[in-house]
Amino acid sequence: MQKPSRTMDLPSARRYHPLLVGLHWLLALLIIVNLAMGSLQLQHIPNSSLEKLTALQGHMAAGMLILILTLVRIGVRLMTRTPAPIQSDGPLWNRLSSTAHLGLYLLVLLMALSGMALSVQANLPAAVFEGSMSLPTSFADFAPRQAHGWIANALLLLIVGHVCAALYHQFVRQDGLLRRMWFVRS
């Protein structure tokens, strides 16, 4: 007996829905910028600096936007037809591909949740958005900060793997994988 599709047994699409494509590339940009902001900028600004508050405002706002857009993307993904998975170089690689995609979603969600937990523990909304108090001397003492850093590293590694796999499909296998996640039909 065939297992029912989550899209009400619609045939698979040739390409991803344009909203999914737009969200994919927008989220890719936002996530990379926010990871860079966290590791290249925020980490090196002392908490006593006013510049830290401004940087945190942008980082936290972008993090919330990433969370919202990721949830929207998951909803759109569940409600639209999608292309059948491209078969890779064997069952292990196929399973790794689907696991990596789920991992990307999971890590983005965990990143947002750990950021929110840090925000609550350190009372960041009052300091960053209301200006009613100063930042803690260090964020290192907060457990969610440690998790946020570990998740950031794992997410960065998974993104690099995702990009390498997409480039492999595009230039070595030449199987049209990227065409499915782009705006123009070819």
Side-chain angles (χ1 to χ4, degrees), residues 41-60 115 118-142 145:
Q41 183 184 20
L42 278 169
Q43 185 173 317
H44 303 293
I45 302 172
N47 283 10
S48 58
S49 170
L50 287 177
E51 184 183 351
K52 182 80 160 214
L53 289 174
T54 304
L56 276 171
Q57 284 176 342
H59 187 72
M60 291 169 67
L118 173 60
S119 177
V120 168
Q121 277 191 3
N123 202 13
L124 291 182
V128 173
F129 296 108
E130 299 169 14
S132 62
M133 62 178 291
S134 60
L135 294 174
T137 305
S138 171
F139 292 121
D141 298 332
F142 297 96
R145 170 58 191 98

Side-chain angles (χ1 to χ4, degrees), residues 18-29 73 162 178 181:
L19 182 55
L20 275 176
V21 173
L23 286 169
H24 174 272
W25 293 108
L26 177 59
L27 279 164
L29 177 66
R73 186 167 191 262
H162 183 70
L178 285 180
M181 188 52 81

